[in-house]
Amino acid sequence: MSTKLLTKKPTSNLWVLVAQTSSFGVLLPLLGSVLFYLFFPQFKWSNEPLHALIETLGGFIAISVAGLLFLLNNTQYGRKHHFWIGCGLISMGILDIFHAGVPVGNTFVWFHSLATFLGGGFLGLVWIENKEWVPNNFKLAFAFIGGISFLTASVFIVSPELAPDMLHQDTFTITARALNILGGIGFLIASAWLAREVCSRGEWEDYFLLVHCLLFGSAGILFELSELWDGPWWWWHFLRLLAYIAVFGFALKNYQQILDELKNFNDHLNLKIKERTKQLEETTLELEVKNKELSSFASITSHDLKNPIRKITNYCAFIEDEEESLSETTKQYLNNIELAANHARNLIEGILEYSKLGQDKIEYKQLNLNEIVSQIIKNLELELAETKGKIEFNNLPDIFGNEFQIKQLFENLISNSLKYRKKDVPPFIKIYPDKKNRDHYQIIVEDNGIGFDNIFAAKIFDPFQRLDGDINTLGSGLGLSICKKIMLGHLGNILAEGEINSGAKFKLIFSLMEGRKQK
């Protein structure tokens, strides 16, 4: 059957369904048997290789479809009655392969009859719709049924005398006929349930299984009317092969459905990716425009704000030139005005620096932290001399980062330690590696300054946070915020620990991601 035909639903009309399946699953088997009896009553053809080929092919199809049912279990394609069908197929498939591999004789017929009986028995159980009878995971059940079938066949291969009598002078015994007829009835019982499902659900998989069960049921019952190698015997073997082809159609239908849904999913996913990519490109372009506008606005605003502040400090200087005529109170007022103006200027410069951070393309490379810290110490020689400060560092690792930003990071932290030192106590700053694993380095910057209450350990990185509240302490309140932004830009992090009057400790966590390109 063409895969294009599988896109249409089978008939849901019970009488049409009965007509279709009966003609193929009942009338065709009977017609073939009658024709052989009427026109070829003496026909006998002993061809063991052909028989072995038919049974082996059917057995492998049955086992393959049982494997497919196992894979469909616990997916949107899995259904409860697949359990009974899978058990029947795997037991039939294994026994039919053994049946194909043994010489003609008692064991030969025993394997065939047992396969039909077990297959029909399991498939007839599809009427048991109580979910408690069906395990959620088919794996153990299928393995158990397959293992028992294989073990049983192996026992009779080793000890064929254990098998009941199945042949008497090339005629099948009552035991053989009973097993095949009971198995055939089981298949017909299953076909009734599947016919109901086809009418109610209209699924091709049930239609193919219905044909499979009708053909196997007919073959099991026609066994009664045949003898070894005669025409009806070959006819119901042909019907069994058709039944296996029908169950292969079931597998083909599920395979096509999975492919169609995967294709639809991929098409939908590709469409969503294109939509999201377009949205991302538009958003990125919009952000670039906004960033340029923000950068331009920050530069213009800072320039406009610096002019009045510069005038304030200049006029303060002019007034201070008239020092002889000023009272001490006026001098103090002028000093406070000048401090406030300088603080405002630092704040504006800090905002400008913070707003520009991360806007430009950043080049990353391997950096020697020992060299960078040495350069910063040289730049801060004057401040260290004035405060009698000391910086100790050694064995710092190489990291992958942007040189300008890493210098800014360590300079901000060291300047912060010098700024918030204890009165009359020379500042001591220690920089050392702490931990390294396969994902990151951890570097500590520790000082002996005034410290801070550890409840502010996270808040300290917020913009404009000044825990001392002293206007005489120079700075914008953005230094640690800039440090945080730099570390996040390097896919790392910065954490703080502190205790009042016992210093502060900053943990720098650097990612070990290398080979990063410009971004």
Side-chain angles (χ1 to χ4, degrees):
M1 180 175 291
S2 168
T3 56
K4 290 184 178 180
L5 293 177
L6 298 181
T7 59
K8 299 179 180 180
K9 293 284 187 180
T11 180
S12 60
N13 186 295
L14 179 60
W15 297 111
V16 174
L17 180 66
V18 168
Q20 289 178 348
T21 55
S22 295
S23 62
F24 191 70
V26 178
L27 296 180
L28 181 64
L30 289 175
L31 180 62
S33 298
V34 169
L35 289 175
F36 270 108
Y37 276 115
L38 290 177
F39 298 104
F40 307 100
Q42 304 302 319
F43 177 85
K44 279 205 174 186
W45 183 34
S46 177
N47 191 325
E48 291 189 30
L50 177 60
H51 169 266
L53 176 64
I54 292 173
E55 295 292 351
T56 302
L57 180 61
F60 277 113
I61 290 176
I63 293 172
S64 300
V65 175
L68 172 66
L69 295 177
F70 165 69
L71 295 176
L72 294 179
N73 179 38
N74 292 329
T75 71
Q76 60 177 319
Y77 308 103
R79 294 168 63 189
K80 287 298 180 182
H81 70 277
H82 287 173
F83 173 72
W84 302 114
I85 294 170
C87 290
L89 289 174
I90 199 168
S91 59
M92 278 196 306
I94 291 174
L95 290 171
D96 276 341
I97 290 173
F98 273 93
H99 164 65
V102 297
V104 176
N106 196 67
T107 307
F108 174 84
V109 179
W110 167 241
F111 282 155
H112 165 82
S113 302
L114 187 60
T116 302
F117 176 75
L118 289 177
F122 277 121
L123 267 78
L125 295 176
V126 293
W127 283 94
I128 300 177
E129 297 180 334
N130 190 336
K131 294 182 179 179
E132 295 178 359
W133 285 65
V134 180
N136 290 325
N137 193 324
F138 296 177
K139 182 178 181 180
L140 290 178
F142 282 10
F144 177 76
I145 296 296
I148 290 295
S149 300
F150 185 87
L151 183 62
T152 301
S154 300
V155 168
F156 288 108
I157 289 288
V158 175
S159 303
E161 69 277 4
L162 297 176
D165 290 336
M166 308 300 288
L167 272 176
H168 180 68
Q169 297 180 352
D170 286 343
T171 302
F172 301 122
T173 64
I174 293 176
T175 303
R177 296 176 189 277
L179 288 174
N180 280 272
I181 291 172
L182 288 174
I185 292 172
F187 282 112
L188 295 178
I189 290 172
S191 67
W193 186 90
L194 289 164
R196 187 193 70 175
E197 289 295 294
V198 172
C199 291
S200 62
R201 292 171 58 91
E203 295 290 344
W204 275 111
E205 66 171 73
D206 294 326
Y207 189 88
F208 284 123
L209 292 173
L210 169 59
V211 173
H212 170 81
C213 289
L214 282 172
L215 288 171
F216 256 99
S218 300
I221 293 173
L222 288 175
F223 183 91
E224 166 72 20
L225 306 175
S226 67
E227 293 182 1
L228 191 63
W229 304 117
D230 69 359
W233 186 87
W234 278 108
W235 181 243
W236 57 253
H237 270 83
F238 173 70
L239 296 179
R240 284 166 60 88
L241 181 60
L242 287 181
Y244 279 127
I245 293 173
V247 85
F248 181 74
F250 158 79
L252 179 64
K253 175 265 165 192
N254 278 280
Y255 176 72
Q256 185 211 5
Q257 183 178 357
I258 292 170
L259 286 182
D260 289 344
E261 295 197 11
L262 281 175
K263 182 179 181 301
N264 291 336
F265 176 78
N266 286 333
D267 291 343
H268 179 72
L269 184 61
N270 288 332
L271 181 62
K272 287 294 182 184
I273 290 173
K274 288 180 180 178
E275 291 176 356
R276 293 291 185 270
T277 302
K278 185 178 180 181
Q279 291 175 1
L280 183 60
E281 289 174 350
E282 292 174 351
T283 303
T284 302
L285 182 60
E286 186 178 346
L287 284 174
E288 288 178 355
V289 173
K290 294 294 183 184
N291 282 335
K292 288 180 181 178
E293 291 177 355
L294 180 62
S295 177
S296 177
F297 172 79
S299 299
I300 294 171
T301 303
S302 65
H303 180 268
D304 291 344
L305 289 175
K306 283 180 182 178
N307 279 334
I309 291 173
R310 190 180 299 111
K311 288 182 180 179
I312 291 171
T313 55
N314 288 340
Y315 281 119
C316 286
F318 294 154
I319 296 173
E320 285 174 352
D321 289 341
E322 305 295 332
E323 188 176 354
E324 295 179 359
S325 61
L326 299 177
S327 65
E328 289 300 320
T329 302
T330 303
K331 291 179 181 179
Q332 185 61 43
Y333 287 161
L334 287 172
N335 185 56
N336 289 343
I337 292 171
E338 195 168 0
L339 285 173
N342 287 332
H343 177 68
R345 183 171 60 249
N346 290 334
L347 190 61
I348 292 167
E349 291 175 351
I351 292 173
L352 182 61
E353 184 178 2
Y354 187 80
S355 67
K356 287 183 176 180
L357 194 63
Q359 289 186 14
D360 299 326
K361 287 186 177 180
I362 300 172
E363 182 182 352
Y364 293 89
K365 64 181 181 180
Q366 203 73 19
L367 302 175
N368 186 319
L369 282 185
N370 293 291
E371 292 181 359
I372 287 177
V373 173
S374 297
Q375 292 174 11
I376 293 171
I377 292 174
K378 190 173 182 180
N379 294 340
L380 296 175
E381 278 181 346
L382 182 60
E383 290 86 343
L384 289 169
E386 289 177 352
T387 59
K388 299 180 181 179
K390 182 180 178 182
I391 299 175
E392 181 181 289
F393 71 97
N394 58 351
N395 297 324
L396 297 179
D398 291 351
I399 66 166
F400 200 75
N402 175 260
E403 185 173 4
F404 174 79
Q405 290 189 1
I406 295 301
K407 283 182 180 178
Q408 188 178 20
L409 168 71
F410 279 94
E411 189 164 340
N412 281 4
L413 290 174
I414 293 171
S415 298
N416 201 67
S417 296
L418 295 175
K419 190 187 306 178
Y420 295 104
R421 63 186 181 274
K422 290 179 183 177
K423 189 177 181 181
D424 301 328
V425 176
F428 176 71
I429 303 167
K430 187 177 180 181
I431 305 173
Y432 57 92
D434 184 34
K435 294 178 182 178
K436 177 187 176 182
N437 59 33
R438 63 180 183 178
D439 297 321
H440 65 266
Y441 286 113
Q442 184 167 294
I443 298 170
I444 306 297
V445 179
E446 189 174 1
D447 64 45
N448 65 339
I450 61 175
F452 59 88
D453 193 328
N454 207 52
I455 63 173
F456 299 109
K459 191 177 180 180
I460 199 171
F461 296 106
D462 292 344
F464 310 117
Q465 291 298 322
R466 296 171 61 94
L467 301 183
D468 64 330
D470 186 359
I471 195 174
N472 292 308
T473 304
L474 295 177
S476 62
L478 285 166
L480 292 180
S481 299
I482 291 173
C483 291
K484 182 79 171 183
K485 199 168 184 179
I486 289 173
M487 289 305 299
L488 293 177
H490 283 72
L491 302 182
N493 200 5
I494 180 171
L495 304 173
E497 293 179 9
E499 187 177 343
I500 296 175
N501 294 322
S502 295
K505 180 190 290 186
F506 294 91
K507 296 180 180 179
L508 306 177
I509 303 170
F510 287 96
S511 169
L512 289 183
M513 287 183 63
E514 298 192 3
R516 193 178 313 172
K517 298 179 180 180
Q518 288 189 354
K519 71 174 189 176

